[in-house]
Amino acid sequence: MSAPLQLVATLKAGRVVGVHAENIRPLAAQVLVGKSVDEAAALAPAIFSLCGVAQGVGVRAASAVAGGGDFVMTAAIERALSLEAIKLHLWRLMLDWPVLFGRAPERQRFAFVLKRIDQVTDERSAYEAGGSVLDLVARELLAGFMNSLREPRNLSEFADACRRSGSIGDALARLIEAGASDPIAHPVPLLAPLPASVFADALPGGWPDADYCRAPHLSGDVYETGPLARHVNNPLVARLVIHRHRIAARLFARVVELSDCASRLRHPLPGDMPALVDVAPLPGGGALARIETARGVLLHALRLDGDTVADYAIVAPTEWNFRPGGVFEQEGAGWAAPDVAYAEWRLRALALALDPCVQYAVSVTEEAAADA
């Protein structure tokens, strides 16, 4: 069975061109139509299991407002969302990124941390688990920066600090040393955390139809969502962006966000961080919930007929980043590659940095040079 997300490109005269992301996964939200709210809230996490907590919260939040009530963000909801995001971030950081650089995945370490996180049952255990994750970030993922008396002055020092920070640091250093990864003069803008009302007001026709769900935008403009968009103002992340190392910046931003998630476990509902969830009414009836997930912004649009779901639409982060004309297609093209193997490796790095929530396959075809 082929992967639902096919990422294809052509290598022509030493440059990668014709990058295309074909996303054939079905729009499964319609399965929720005709179900009761309780049934939909139970079914959504089963359909979208990778971010099941966020999907279930989306159903509950949107249905509360669509039914004429209010959605109240609680510490318990934030804790559940933060725990899910931590697991997804660690999965990528410990299992997937090392493999891309020929290293063994850190399965035992991942299992140990995961067991610690799965023991969270209340505020105290959440506080302790948050401390364990912060300790992991400080001692391993960012050790080279934590142990330095000053920030790196240049990219060479940045790479040296990364290399003293375990397998993820090694990946960051090698990404930096591979050269700038942003070949376009005007990169796709980053989707900063925005309230649900902004998305609701900008929806064409007041509802995310199938075309919008496949290729979301904000008032006609294409955006990138995810950890980089949320943490581009972090000084170290910004340093990488300024030097056009956006793949490395996304990886670094994921580590920064891991710390934020851990902080939310220890100090819930912080006033100095954007809310993870909010809801806005839709002009034609119903409601739109916005949930910040590990991969980016998730939108749930719902209309009710009594307690029954009359219409449902979900806009996932993958559709923002891998839409036609989106950040993967734009940033993946226009750079030099010595051979197909390198082109495929770099496109895999870009895809992993953008983190689709479905299986994907990368393929590059070399076009024969024209006869002189």
Side-chain angles (χ1 to χ4, degrees), residues 49-51 53 79-96 110 113-120 133 254 257-258 261-262 265 294-295 355:
S49 57
L50 280 181
C51 52
V53 172
R79 180 168 65 238
L81 290 170
S82 297
L83 287 169
E84 180 171 76
I86 287 171
K87 293 177 185 179
L88 292 172
H89 288 317
L90 289 176
W91 180 355
R92 290 303 196 203
L93 292 169
M94 292 183 158
L95 302 186
D96 294 336
F110 176 71
V113 178
L114 198 64
K115 182 178 180 181
R116 184 76 180 82
I117 293 170
D118 284 339
Q119 292 174 343
V120 172
V133 174
R254 185 180 296 276
E257 182 153 291
L258 188 61
C261 292
L265 291 182
R295 293 177 169 88
D355 196 8

Side-chain angles (χ1 to χ4, degrees), residues 38 42 60 103 146 208 242 370:
D38 288 341
R60 291 294 186 186
R103 298 178 61 136
M146 298 294 183
I242 289 170

Side-chain angles (χ1 to χ4, degrees), residues 5-10 16-22 328-329 332 347 361-365:
L5 181 59
Q6 295 291 323
L7 307 174
V8 300
T10 300
V16 177
V17 297
V19 176
H20 176 59
E22 183 179 5
F328 180 83
E329 290 192 354
L347 287 173
V362 175
S363 60
V364 179
T365 302

